[in-house]
Amino acid sequence: MNHLVKFLTDDSGVPVKCPEWHYVNPFASDPAALCTGEYFGPGQSDIEYVEKKTVKGGITCSDCLEQIKHYKSIKL
C-alpha cells in the first residue's frame, strides 16, 4: 500500500496554492514526506494535512516521483 499525504497549509498556517500528494517515507522516525523530509502529525508540526492509502499510484509530487524512479533504477 502507498501511504500518501497532502499538505493543505504550511507551518505558518498559510494555505498551499497547489497541494500535491506526497509519498510518506516509511524509513523516517516519524511521518514525513519523501521529497522534503517535512514532518507532519500530532506533536510534529502545525501543518494541516490529509492522508490516504492507495493500492497503486496516487503520487502527484514530481520530486517524490523522481526519487522513487531513482530508487527503482538501482540494480542489486
Side-chain angles (χ1 to χ4, degrees):
M1 281 234 143
N2 294 337
H3 185 185
L4 308 177
V5 64
K6 182 190 289 188
F7 298 127
L8 305 175
T9 64
D10 63 12
D11 279 332
S12 306
V14 177
V16 175
K17 290 188 176 159
C18 295
E20 300 176 309
W21 287 104
H22 301 274
Y23 184 72
V24 176
N25 186 348
F27 300 110
S29 58
D30 289 311
L34 178 65
C35 60
T36 62
E38 189 168 12
Y39 291 103
F40 65 93
Q44 297 299 321
S45 69
D46 292 332
I47 294 173
E48 291 182 24
Y49 61 93
V50 177
E51 291 180 274
K52 74 176 180 180
K53 292 190 178 188
T54 63
V55 175
K56 183 176 180 181
I59 302 165
T60 58
C61 172
S62 59
D63 293 334
C64 285
L65 289 170
E66 185 177 329
Q67 286 188 30
I68 291 167
K69 286 178 184 177
H70 174 73
Y71 293 142
K72 288 176 78 173
S73 72
I74 297 171
K75 304 294 181 209
L76 299 176

